[in-house]
Amino acid sequence: MSNSKTPLLDMYRTMLTIRRFEERCNYLFMQGRIPSTLHLYIGQEAVATGVCAHLRPDDYLLSTHRPHGHAIAKGVAPRAIMAELFAKSTGCCKAKGGSMHVGDVNVGMFPAIAIVGANIPIAAGVGLAARRLGTDRVAVCFFGDGAANEGAFHEGLNMAAIWDLPVVYVCENNLYAASTPFPLAFKIENVADRAAAYGMPGVVVDGNDVEAVYQVAGEAIDRARQGEGPTLIECKTYRLCGHSRSDPRTYRSQEEETAWAAKDPIPRLAERLKEKGLATDETLTAIEQEVTALIDEAVAFAEESPPPEPTDALKHVF
Amino acid sequence: MSNSKTPLLDMYRTMLTIRRFEERCNYLFMQGRIPSTLHLYIGQEAVATGVCAHLRPDDYLLSTHRPHGHAIAKGVAPRAIMAELFAKSTGCCKAKGGSMHVGDVNVGMFPAIAIVGANIPIAAGVGLAARRLGTDRVAVCFFGDGAANEGAFHEGLNMAAIWDLPVVYVCENNLYAASTPFPLAFKIENVADRAAAYGMPGVVVDGNDVEAVYQVAGEAIDRARQGEGPTLIECKTYRLCGHSRSDPRTYRSQEEETAWAAKDPIPRLAERLKEKGLATDETLTAIEQEVTALIDEAVAFAEESPPPEPTDALKHVF
Amino acid sequence: MAKMSIAEALRQAIREEMARDPRVFCLGEDIGIKGGFGGAFTVTLGLSDEFGHERILDTPISEIGIAGVAIGAAMAGLRPIADVQYGDFLFCMMDQLANQAAKMTYMSGGTVKVPMVMRAPVGATGRGAQHAQSLEAFFTHIPGLKVLAPSTAYDAKGLLKSAVRDDNPVLIFEHKLLYGSKGPRSERGALSPIGEVPDEEYLVPIGKGVIRREGTDVTIVGKLLTVYRALAAAEELAQDGIETEVIDPRTLVPLDKELILESVRKTGRLVIVEEDNLTGGWAADIAAIVAEEAFFWLDAPIKRVSAPDTPAPFAPVMEQFYVPGEERVVEAVKSLF
Amino acid sequence: MAKMSIAEALRQAIREEMARDPRVFCLGEDIGIKGGFGGAFTVTLGLSDEFGHERILDTPISEIGIAGVAIGAAMAGLRPIADVQYGDFLFCMMDQLANQAAKMTYMSGGTVKVPMVMRAPVGATGRGAQHAQSLEAFFTHIPGLKVLAPSTAYDAKGLLKSAVRDDNPVLIFEHKLLYGSKGPRSERGALSPIGEVPDEEYLVPIGKGVIRREGTDVTIVGKLLTVYRALAAAEELAQDGIETEVIDPRTLVPLDKELILESVRKTGRLVIVEEDNLTGGWAADIAAIVAEEAFFWLDAPIKRVSAPDTPAPFAPVMEQFYVPGEERVVEAVKSLF
Ligand SMILES: Cc1ncc(C[n+]2csc(CCOP(=O)(O)OP(=O)(O)O)c2C)c(N)n1
Ligand SMILES: Cc1ncc(C[n+]2csc(CCOP(=O)(O)OP(=O)(O)O)c2C)c(N)n1
Ligand SMILES: [Mg+2]
Ligand SMILES: [Mg+2]
């Protein structure tokens, strides 16, 4: 876990892929080429990336209504996600799921769960299976600050704790649950402070600093893998976009948005890479082009894919 | 709240009333004269008594599947409780509720709630109403250690905390949830330690020492009444009886039971009263006779009361 | 008479009831934040400016807590109007609604009342399986709850006002495609019926259905969105000479059973249309009532037109197949002749 | 052949499945504590001695957690058998069952399976409104769940074994008065049918009903306890010359619809008996199916014999009125002639 081994450039590529993927989604959505609603992850890319950089394809991930970033970081093919958003039969859920339920079990990501907090006890069960089946797999469960006020959070964390399950709980505290600011819903400073209520370690980390996230997540994932039980990690971050589709964000101040825009994790990492001599402007431009090509391809794939048959609705109930 | 004002003798009478009431219930149940099931409160009397000694009739109480002690301490007439247990039309719930739902709103006790933990958010709502209606009423919510692992606990305590509601949460930690010992369900020492997760004060107290309970509860109730918000009080106690009806208690050791029997709150208080010169053996015998008469009367009332009509089942849905 | 959408009518009802009775208040997620949404479908938009944040109470994401607080507040003298952002989340508070709110009055022998309202948007709108369900059937099956399903602005306002004044827990189901929510919260494919609403105060009584169209040959019972599907089908059927009576019960519990039975006694044929899944749906109950109480007047089998027994699919093409459309209603009616 | 109670038959099924497949395990409250109850009705009594506490996993009182852990474990390769102490507590985990377990396979486009079993005791047994409900109807209305309701020891064992091997979430409803639980966990007023169970291994297929008694004049469909009420009524009716066919579907989802339809086509009369509340009950669905698919064979209205639309009352005299008894079944049948 020493910084010298940190795959910073890979993480940059992942973060940029997530960012460009979502910007494209937003554009396509505004154009009416993607139906439904979207919860974008723009601004929080360092969290998914720093955590998932430690995961093997056979490790598990449980996600939320805001899952695109998690999916890309865990290795779900962007084209399969894009096709799902386009409601095409080639989508990662065969167009049964949609934006809020993307996933691909072949790379360890279950369909995302859009009931806030409901993935938390499920992750405990996944961890239980990983252990009982004699593997050293780990389950990572992402959720927002808002989710920490659900009963499911409480029951799930306690069960993971008492049974020392190999689960890492990652709370992405982006300061808002939809329009609700954190202090309106909590009388405490940090979600991670709740870990003590379960006898579980809790850590707060700057969620816009991918190196910091990587460090903290690595320790927690190691602990889990070695049978030492779960951790609650709180990543302080901010979404640099609306809660869902055309949210005007009038519940946030201009100053706050500007202050956080200055902490955007992607330029911040770009600087670090250059500082450390791990990349030049040219490297970064090359990555940018690579990512654009990937996303162009994903969109082309999605557009060319056939829609499902109406009667496909009847399949896959059991 | 100074000890000199502590109504110790009254509390003794209340505790003894609860004890004798329940012993009688158990006897009647074994004889088949009371139907259904019973969750007795024997051994925990100091908790309900020490807390409720501070309450006014217009304060509120929310209870559980083990409610007889709370009801008596809050001032529900023993005859009305007994008649309810006998399934008579004169019961405090007109025989609609039964043992697990006794209550009487005229003295501030809502029907007890037998879904573990479900009374916790409801108590927050009651507290909200007390404040919003401009009263200084307080809501007290009793529950067991087991209830602290319900999602309802989490959501309810958090809401009470963020809104500074006039609620006192009293966890009666009798070391078991049915047959499940505390350490199997918790990786922490004290339920009260969870208060910090909500930014709420948490206190641990010896639940078999009525003076200590009285002291701690008084402070919490004062805080609540003065608009300073909720408290979580954990009373460490033990039920000197089975979980429900004919529980053989084979999941507990003889030694443990014996050790706790030595801490029985009633003889303990009797000693204190004599030590303090507040009672003699004669006083205590007189109280014993008073209580016996009260319970005889309650049983007679229950036995003589008419059962409901079968078709009364159709009443009171709305 | 003013013309307004259902979202506006609901907002007006809340505003009037809150002005009338200081015990009335709203609670829910994102309902009153300054600069926020006014709830998932704008119903409470602006109300916190008028009434303050104590009475338009923003909650954490805690559905058990929302229901529990509403129940407790109602038991102790307030009259809460709570909401969930999507009806699907009612399952998160199911114990509170089914075991607590619905049973408290009964368990207390009638001494405790729970005068609360719970509002819930229903219907499939392209969001996938967890934001799409029609929940009515579950709640009509819980004695102790009243269940409303307004399909017009007039009824939405009048029924919500009645619900607030009722001494019992009342659930109101609102269809997302009927709200007519505006701005960023508007819905694609919405029907958004704009209705006339009297300027003077009025109530719509709980328990009274209406005939939306008179007819002699067949009775169609619909609710919420499917009332409109039924009316559209009736138009089409009229061209084939089939005169359809369309009934909108408006209140599901208590049900205006007689209105339906009378209609069937007249027409001899019954089709029930709902957006919910077939098995165990509300339509089954209507069919069962008629099969028992108007059996001898029936000239043909009773037909249910419902969603199939699957979760709601995401893709619009599949969702359109899933949600019963006008054509399926027409076909069902024709099969009875 | 061995004779045993339903509780014993369920225990044997669990024991055999756990021995057969190391992925199978149980979780729930108070199921495996040494010296404890073996669950609320003794079904898992002694199993932790045989299989250890890892596989008979005692949980905190956390119904959301129990369901969530079962779902997650099933998604990742185990085959959990979870339980609640009383069916009423299913409402506490309703989101997990209805929104997660039931929809996961569908939302994943068929790539994820959730092979879990959830056991739940139902029925009114003198404990009041929160420990009495019959929950079947709610769950038959959730696509993606299979729902079983065994009424004999043979079926209980064979269906539970099939459920464990099914790749989908399966709910099993068990009636408290049929368990035959012994010792301190025995029930007053229990029927406790002792049944024959083969010594050799067998499965009862999910989706196949049985005719419990053949008859030509009227069909009665019951489930769980009401199968016995129906059989008792049939005896009495036989004395009046009415030959009753009694059907026990055993599986509610998927339903052996043809068995019921065939019977009704033969008898022309249908009565459905269930312990659940009338409005929105499972009986409504059976009535609706028959009113659509066997309408022309019906000679009389379809009757439902159910509990009234009230919570379960505490007092035994009221509870007896509430739970449909044999006399109400007899009366309903006679009203059809
Ligand atoms: C149980 C439940 N309640 C409410 C919602 C509606 N909802 C969707 S996202 C959201 C806000 C979630 O906030 P947070 O957990 O902080 O995650 P974020 O959106 O900030 O990523 C809400 C209230 C839901 N999907 N599920
Ligand atoms: C939601 C719910 N789950 C389970 C039960 C069954 N049950 C009744 S009492 C009990 C144990 C409660 O333990 P605790 O909260 O410690 O209270 P105690 O019985 O010790 O007073 C259980 C599991 C219930 N009534 N409600
Ligand atoms: Mg957030
Ligand atoms: Mg306890």
Side-chain angles (χ1 to χ4, degrees):
Chain A
M1 223 63 50
S2 87
N3 265 353
S4 65
K5 285 204 220 145
T6 306
L8 271 192
L9 208 59
D10 286 348
M11 295 204 287
Y12 183 80
R13 187 180 293 104
T14 303
M15 284 166 64
L16 198 71
T17 305
I18 298 173
R19 175 69 56 92
R20 297 294 178 250
F21 182 91
E22 295 230 301
E23 286 167 349
R24 192 72 68 89
C25 285
N26 197 37
Y27 172 79
L28 293 165
F29 181 81
M30 292 302 180
Q31 283 197 318
R33 286 157 75 197
I34 285 181
S36 184
T37 186
L38 287 177
H39 299 85
L40 299 177
Y41 194 67
I42 292 174
Q44 306 183 196
E45 296 88 348
V47 178
T49 304
V51 172
C52 294
H54 296 283
L55 297 181
R56 308 189 309 233
D58 69 345
D59 285 325
Y60 294 111
L61 190 155
L62 278 294
S63 177
T64 68
H65 59 284
R66 198 180 299 289
H68 308 162
H70 308 142
I72 290 172
K74 188 66 174 67
V76 182
R79 49 160 38 197
I81 307 172
M82 194 62 88
E84 187 67 25
L85 302 184
F86 271 81
K88 295 300 181 74
S89 60
T90 55
C92 54
C93 303
K94 305 197 177 91
K96 283 276 168 58
S99 165
M100 290 197 272
H101 304 298
V102 298
D104 177 357
V105 274
N106 294 315
V107 296
M109 182 177 175
F110 290 113
I113 288 174
I115 303 292
V116 167
N119 59 343
I120 295 174
I122 294 177
V126 169
L128 180 73
R131 186 177 65 197
R132 280 279 323 289
L133 291 167
T135 75
D136 69 344
R137 296 178 178 188
V138 165
V140 169
C141 180
F142 291 98
F143 54 90
D145 46 296
N149 284 327
E150 283 283 352
F153 167 91
H154 182 66
E155 300 190 13
L157 260 72
N158 187 54
M159 287 166 98
I162 59 172
W163 297 329
D164 290 324
L165 297 178
V167 185
V168 177
Y169 286 108
V170 181
C171 178
E172 305 192 53
N173 185 348
N174 60 9
L175 313 191
Y176 291 85
S179 73
T180 306
F182 187 82
L184 218 60
F186 292 85
K187 215 187 169 173
I188 55 173
E189 283 286 298
N190 304 306
V191 172
D193 296 345
R194 289 192 171 166
Y198 312 108
M200 187 190 291
V203 198
V204 178
V205 68
D206 178 350
N208 282 21
D209 177 349
V210 75
E211 290 175 280
V213 172
Y214 181 79
Q215 173 70 27
V216 160
E219 287 160 17
I221 290 167
D222 282 354
R223 280 193 68 231
R225 217 183 279 296
Q226 282 153 30
E228 290 163 33
T231 305
L232 172 60
I233 299 173
E234 175 180 9
C235 301
K236 305 276 193 189
T237 184
Y238 198 77
R239 62 172 151 69
L240 297 171
C241 58
H243 168 65
S244 64
R245 48 173 187 159
S246 35
D247 168 10
R249 313 194 311 278
T250 34
Y251 51 86
R252 304 198 307 199
S253 72
Q254 194 58 61
E255 300 79 63
E256 183 181 279
E257 294 202 347
T258 311
W260 278 95
K263 300 187 224 171
D264 186 331
I266 295 182
R268 197 162 150 189
L269 178 55
E271 280 316 305
R272 284 287 286 162
L273 285 169
K274 289 194 277 181
E275 257 170 53
K276 290 195 162 202
L278 292 170
T280 60
D281 283 332
E282 290 68 46
T283 337
L284 299 183
T285 308
I287 294 179
E288 183 79 55
Q289 285 164 349
E290 218 181 283
V291 166
T292 305
L294 181 76
I295 293 178
D296 287 344
E297 194 280 333
V299 173
F301 172 77
E303 289 199 317
E304 284 156 20
S305 292
E309 292 300 315
T311 54
D312 286 348
L314 301 174
K315 291 183 189 161
H316 306 310
V317 178
F318 288 116
Chain B
M1 225 60 54
S2 85
N3 264 352
S4 64
K5 284 206 220 143
T6 306
L8 271 193
L9 207 60
D10 287 348
M11 294 205 287
Y12 182 80
R13 186 179 292 104
T14 302
M15 284 166 65
L16 198 71
T17 305
I18 298 173
R19 175 69 56 92
R20 298 293 179 250
F21 183 91
E22 295 230 302
E23 286 169 347
R24 191 71 68 87
C25 286
N26 197 36
Y27 171 80
L28 293 165
F29 181 80
M30 291 302 179
Q31 283 198 319
R33 286 156 76 196
I34 285 180
S36 184
T37 188
L38 287 177
H39 298 86
L40 299 178
Y41 195 65
I42 293 175
Q44 306 183 197
E45 296 89 347
V47 178
T49 304
V51 172
C52 294
H54 296 283
L55 297 180
R56 307 188 310 230
D58 69 346
D59 284 326
Y60 294 111
L61 190 154
L62 279 293
S63 177
T64 68
H65 59 284
R66 199 179 297 290
H68 308 163
H70 307 142
I72 291 173
K74 188 66 172 71
V76 182
R79 49 161 35 200
I81 306 172
M82 194 60 87
E84 187 67 25
L85 301 185
F86 270 81
K88 295 300 180 70
S89 60
T90 53
C92 55
C93 302
K94 306 196 177 92
K96 284 277 169 58
S99 165
M100 292 196 273
H101 303 298
V102 299
D104 178 356
V105 274
N106 294 316
V107 296
M109 182 177 175
F110 290 114
I113 288 174
I115 303 292
V116 168
N119 58 343
I120 295 174
I122 295 177
V126 169
L128 181 73
R131 186 177 65 198
R132 278 280 323 288
L133 291 167
T135 75
D136 68 346
R137 295 177 178 189
V138 165
V140 170
C141 180
F142 290 98
F143 54 92
D145 46 297
N149 284 327
E150 283 283 353
F153 167 92
H154 183 66
E155 300 189 13
L157 260 72
N158 188 55
M159 288 166 97
I162 60 174
W163 296 330
D164 290 323
L165 297 178
V167 186
V168 177
Y169 286 109
V170 182
C171 177
E172 305 193 52
N173 185 348
N174 58 10
L175 313 190
Y176 290 86
S179 73
T180 305
F182 187 81
L184 218 62
F186 292 83
K187 216 186 167 174
I188 55 172
E189 284 286 298
N190 304 306
V191 173
D193 296 345
R194 290 192 171 165
Y198 312 107
M200 186 190 292
V203 198
V204 178
V205 66
D206 178 349
N208 282 21
D209 177 350
V210 74
E211 290 175 279
V213 173
Y214 183 78
Q215 173 71 26
V216 161
E219 287 160 17
I221 290 168
D222 282 356
R223 280 193 68 231
R225 216 183 283 294
Q226 281 152 32
E228 289 163 33
T231 305
L232 172 59
I233 299 174
E234 176 180 9
C235 300
K236 305 278 193 189
T237 184
Y238 198 77
R239 62 172 150 69
L240 296 170
C241 58
H243 168 65
S244 64
R245 47 174 189 159
S246 35
D247 168 8
R249 313 193 311 277
T250 35
Y251 50 86
R252 304 198 307 200
S253 72
Q254 193 60 60
E255 300 79 65
E256 184 181 280
E257 293 203 347
T258 311
W260 278 95
K263 300 188 224 170
D264 186 332
I266 294 181
R268 199 164 151 189
L269 177 55
E271 279 317 303
R272 284 288 284 160
L273 286 169
K274 288 193 278 181
E275 256 171 55
K276 291 196 162 198
L278 291 169
T280 60
D281 283 332
E282 291 66 50
T283 336
L284 299 185
T285 308
I287 294 179
E288 183 78 55
Q289 286 166 348
E290 217 181 282
V291 166
T292 305
L294 182 75
I295 293 179
D296 287 344
E297 194 280 333
V299 173
F301 172 77
E303 289 199 317
E304 284 156 20
S305 292
E309 292 299 316
T311 52
D312 285 347
L314 301 174
K315 293 183 189 160
H316 307 309
V317 178
F318 288 117
Chain C
M1 286 285 187
K3 293 207 180 247
M4 63 181 75
S5 69
I6 288 185
E8 287 162 339
L10 291 166
R11 192 180 309 131
Q12 222 184 58
I14 294 172
R15 182 185 288 123
E16 288 179 13
E17 291 304 297
M18 286 184 68
R20 181 186 61 79
D21 183 346
R23 297 169 306 170
V24 180
F25 76 108
C26 294
L27 75 166
E29 296 160 14
D30 302 297
I31 63 171
I33 308 279
K34 202 172 171 58
F37 313 131
F41 296 92
T42 71
V43 171
T44 53
L45 196 64
L47 292 180
S48 59
D49 294 338
E50 286 173 60
F51 296 100
H53 293 283
E54 282 259 304
R55 291 185 70 195
I56 302 290
L57 186 58
D58 286 294
T59 69
I61 313 185
S62 303
E63 284 78 14
I64 303 174
I66 292 170
V69 166
I71 292 167
M75 284 162 55
L78 296 180
R79 303 189 85 87
I81 306 173
D83 78 49
V84 285
Q85 299 198 338
Y86 288 79
D88 312 68
F89 313 155
L90 290 173
F91 288 140
C92 297
M93 51 168 73
M94 196 73 175
D95 171 69
Q96 288 291 333
L97 296 176
N99 285 333
Q100 316 309 331
K103 295 178 174 49
M104 194 57 68
T105 296
Y106 194 76
M107 297 192 308
S108 74
T111 58
V112 176
K113 291 289 181 185
V114 189
M116 64 175 279
V117 175
M118 177 65 61
R119 298 179 35 245
V122 295
T125 53
R127 289 174 173 88
Q130 295 183 335
H131 289 72
Q133 293 165 88
S134 293
L135 284 294
E136 303 91 275
F138 293 101
F139 292 92
T140 58
H141 187 48
I142 301 170
L145 300 179
K146 298 189 177 179
V147 182
L148 314 184
S151 68
T152 67
Y154 179 89
D155 287 346
K157 181 174 176 190
L159 282 170
L160 178 51
K161 285 170 67 88
S162 292
V164 171
R165 299 178 193 198
D166 199 288
D167 275 343
N168 300 287
V170 180
L171 271 93
I172 306 195
F173 291 102
E174 304 163 0
H175 199 288
K176 292 162 211 158
L177 294 183
L178 298 180
Y179 275 124
S181 315
K182 294 200 186 109
R185 308 305 297 169
S186 66
E187 286 295 314
R188 285 186 210 187
L191 230 65
S192 307
I194 300 299
E196 303 241 308
V197 170
D199 296 324
E200 58 282 8
E201 159 146 287
Y202 69 97
L203 299 173
V204 171
I206 293 177
K208 278 264 148 252
V210 283
I211 298 175
R212 294 279 177 215
R213 178 193 172 111
E214 301 211 3
T216 48
D217 302 331
V218 60
T219 301
I220 306 185
V221 178
K223 62 173 152 58
L224 296 166
L225 185 66
T226 60
V227 169
Y228 297 92
R229 302 275 183 259
L231 287 169
E235 285 298 312
E236 203 176 316
L237 288 162
Q239 290 168 13
D240 286 325
I242 298 175
E243 285 308 324
T244 304
E245 182 139 307
V246 176
I247 292 183
D248 176 358
R250 303 193 293 191
T251 302
L252 310 184
V253 176
L255 179 70
D256 193 347
K257 200 168 78 168
E258 269 313 311
L259 188 73
I260 297 172
L261 289 171
E262 251 172 56
S263 178
V264 173
R265 286 190 201 112
K266 176 172 71 176
T267 63
R269 287 176 174 83
L270 174 64
V271 172
I272 311 131
V273 201
E274 68 173 335
E275 189 176 314
D276 201 357
N277 306 109
L278 180 70
T279 297
W282 173 79
D285 212 67
I286 303 301
I289 290 169
V290 170
E292 174 161 2
E293 302 187 37
F295 177 78
F296 294 108
W297 285 267
L298 281 173
D299 297 321
I302 299 170
K303 283 268 177 194
R304 290 178 287 167
V305 178
S306 305
D309 286 335
T310 79
F314 165 64
V317 288
M318 291 193 282
E319 191 186 87
Q320 273 154 39
F321 171 84
Y322 171 87
V323 174
E326 178 189 330
E327 336 67 57
R328 285 190 55 208
V329 182
V330 169
E331 199 183 301
V333 167
K334 288 193 176 165
S335 77
L336 301 183
F337 289 88
Chain D
M1 285 284 187
K3 294 209 178 246
M4 62 180 74
S5 69
I6 288 185
E8 287 162 340
L10 291 166
R11 192 181 309 132
Q12 224 184 55
I14 294 172
R15 182 185 287 123
E16 287 179 14
E17 291 304 298
M18 286 185 67
R20 181 186 60 79
D21 184 345
R23 298 171 303 170
V24 179
F25 76 108
C26 294
L27 74 165
E29 297 160 14
D30 301 297
I31 64 170
I33 308 280
K34 204 174 169 54
F37 314 130
F41 297 92
T42 72
V43 170
T44 53
L45 196 63
L47 293 179
S48 59
D49 294 336
E50 287 172 59
F51 296 101
H53 293 284
E54 282 259 303
R55 291 184 71 196
I56 302 290
L57 186 58
D58 286 294
T59 68
I61 312 184
S62 302
E63 284 77 16
I64 302 173
I66 292 170
V69 165
I71 292 167
M75 283 162 56
L78 296 180
R79 302 189 84 86
I81 306 174
D83 77 50
V84 285
Q85 301 199 336
Y86 288 79
D88 312 69
F89 313 155
L90 290 173
F91 288 139
C92 296
M93 49 168 75
M94 196 74 176
D95 171 69
Q96 288 291 332
L97 296 176
N99 285 334
Q100 316 308 330
K103 295 178 174 50
M104 193 57 67
T105 296
Y106 194 77
M107 296 192 308
S108 75
T111 58
V112 177
K113 290 289 180 184
V114 188
M116 65 176 277
V117 176
M118 177 65 61
R119 300 178 33 244
V122 295
T125 53
R127 288 175 173 87
Q130 295 182 335
H131 289 72
Q133 292 165 88
S134 293
L135 285 294
E136 304 92 274
F138 293 101
F139 293 92
T140 59
H141 187 49
I142 301 170
L145 300 179
K146 297 189 179 180
V147 182
L148 315 184
S151 67
T152 67
Y154 179 90
D155 286 347
K157 181 174 175 191
L159 282 171
L160 179 50
K161 284 170 68 87
S162 292
V164 170
R165 299 178 193 197
D166 199 288
D167 275 343
N168 300 288
V170 181
L171 270 94
I172 306 194
F173 291 103
E174 303 162 1
H175 200 288
K176 291 162 212 159
L177 295 183
L178 297 180
Y179 274 124
S181 315
K182 294 198 185 108
R185 309 305 297 170
S186 66
E187 285 294 316
R188 285 185 210 190
L191 230 63
S192 308
I194 301 300
E196 304 241 309
V197 170
D199 297 323
E200 59 280 7
E201 159 147 287
Y202 70 98
L203 299 173
V204 172
I206 292 177
K208 277 266 147 251
V210 284
I211 298 176
R212 294 279 176 213
R213 177 193 173 112
E214 300 212 4
T216 48
D217 302 330
V218 60
T219 301
I220 307 184
V221 178
K223 64 173 150 61
L224 296 166
L225 185 66
T226 60
V227 170
Y228 296 92
R229 302 274 183 259
L231 287 169
E235 286 297 312
E236 204 178 316
L237 289 162
Q239 290 171 14
D240 287 325
I242 298 176
E243 285 308 323
T244 305
E245 182 140 306
V246 176
I247 292 184
D248 176 359
R250 303 192 292 192
T251 302
L252 310 184
V253 177
L255 179 71
D256 192 348
K257 200 169 79 169
E258 269 314 309
L259 189 73
I260 297 170
L261 290 172
E262 252 172 53
S263 178
V264 173
R265 286 189 200 111
K266 178 172 73 176
T267 63
R269 288 177 174 83
L270 175 63
V271 173
I272 311 132
V273 201
E274 69 173 334
E275 190 177 314
D276 201 356
N277 306 110
L278 179 72
T279 297
W282 173 78
D285 212 66
I286 303 302
I289 290 169
V290 170
E292 174 160 3
E293 302 188 39
F295 177 78
F296 293 108
W297 284 267
L298 281 173
D299 297 320
I302 299 171
K303 283 269 176 193
R304 290 177 287 168
V305 178
S306 305
D309 286 335
T310 79
F314 164 64
V317 290
M318 290 193 282
E319 192 187 86
Q320 273 155 40
F321 171 84
Y322 171 87
V323 174
E326 179 189 328
E327 336 69 57
R328 284 190 55 207
V329 182
V330 169
E331 198 185 300
V333 168
K334 289 195 174 163
S335 78
L336 301 183
F337 288 91

